[in-house]
Amino acid sequence: MGRIAGATGARTRQRLLRAAADVFARRGYDGTRVADIASEAGLSNSALYAYFTSKAELLVGALRTHGRRPLEDMVAADPRRSIVDMLMRTGVGLTERPDADRYLVIEALIAVRRDPEVAASMTGYVRERAEWMTGLIEQAQLRGEIDATVSARAIAHLATALAIGSTLLTPDLHDVGDEEWTALLSRVVTSIARTEEQMGIRT
């Protein structure tokens, strides 16, 4: 196996990242060899190393490319939509059974404790995600959607912790009714959101 006929470097890289995401989901980080990912992508080990230097780089690369980011997807699809509404909709989806790609962040966070290379890469990744989320909340505060007296960084931390925790606490381990969960989320989100009257909006 070698370079796939007709494949560009970018396509081959994406093929490897997709293969890495799939193999890590099935076998976990510790149970995966670089050779497994190369085989999944239909490439030789030497071809893989032309694009990635290590298993750790493949893990974080797969997370960056295929990790689930529903809030970011909502913002990209409709940047003028209320952040409060997007936080609520994202939170409601947390009780759904995660798909395989959603587990990538869990594999990476577990690997952080044992692999210094993963730890170094994940520090940058997590910082980027936290800064993006904090910036999103700060923009909403400037628009008057969210109470500016509440720390944007703390809100971002809570949202991230909920997303990661819900991936681990699947419905088969502990389930909660949709109405109960939505009602609780509504109270939490409402506690930091400003009302239309506070924002000077008249309906």
Side-chain angles (χ1 to χ4, degrees):
M1 294 182 291
R3 185 179 295 275
I4 300 169
T8 65
R11 288 182 181 176
T12 301
R13 183 181 176 85
Q14 290 305 310
R15 185 185 184 95
L16 283 164
L17 290 173
R18 180 68 266 171
D22 293 342
V23 177
F24 287 134
R26 290 198 307 268
R27 301 188 179 191
Y29 182 73
D30 288 341
T32 296
R33 301 172 304 161
V34 169
D36 299 325
I37 297 171
S39 177
E40 181 85 5
L43 296 168
S44 66
N45 281 10
S46 59
L48 180 151
Y49 281 116
Y51 295 92
F52 297 96
T53 60
S54 66
K55 187 170 74 166
E57 187 181 357
L58 279 159
L59 174 63
V60 180
L63 175 60
R64 286 183 178 279
T65 305
H66 297 292
R68 292 288 309 280
R69 289 186 284 272
L71 181 59
E72 187 170 330
D73 292 342
M74 283 188 196
V75 173
D78 187 1
R80 295 187 178 183
R81 189 174 182 173
S82 164
I83 298 302
V84 171
D85 180 56
M86 287 192 278
L87 286 173
M88 186 69 194
R89 289 181 179 272
T90 303
V92 168
L94 292 179
T95 57
E96 298 173 358
R97 180 172 295 279
D99 60 20
D101 284 345
R102 195 165 147 192
Y103 283 107
L104 281 170
V105 69
I106 301 301
E107 288 298 329
L109 290 172
I110 291 172
V112 160
R113 298 186 62 187
R114 296 188 292 270
D115 188 321
E117 186 180 352
V118 176
S121 296
M122 279 299 290
T123 297
Y125 175 80
V126 172
R127 183 179 293 117
E128 288 170 16
R129 303 307 310 149
E131 288 177 354
W132 178 84
M133 172 75 81
T134 300
L136 191 70
I137 301 301
E138 288 174 341
Q139 290 172 27
Q141 289 175 324
L142 289 173
R143 291 194 299 270
E145 292 180 43
I146 293 177
D147 186 348
T149 65
V150 181
S151 165
R153 186 170 296 277
I155 296 172
H157 185 86
L158 175 61
T160 302
L162 281 174
I164 293 172
S166 66
T167 303
L168 290 170
L169 195 62
T170 53
D172 54 314
L173 293 176
H174 185 271
D175 200 5
V176 62
D178 290 343
E179 289 186 6
E180 298 172 277
W181 180 243
T182 301
L184 174 61
L185 278 178
S186 180
R187 293 189 67 172
V188 172
V189 172
T190 299
S191 72
I192 62 170
R194 300 186 71 203
T195 64
E196 291 183 342
E197 183 178 354
Q198 289 172 324
M199 293 170 64
I201 297 175
R202 297 290 182 266
T203 57

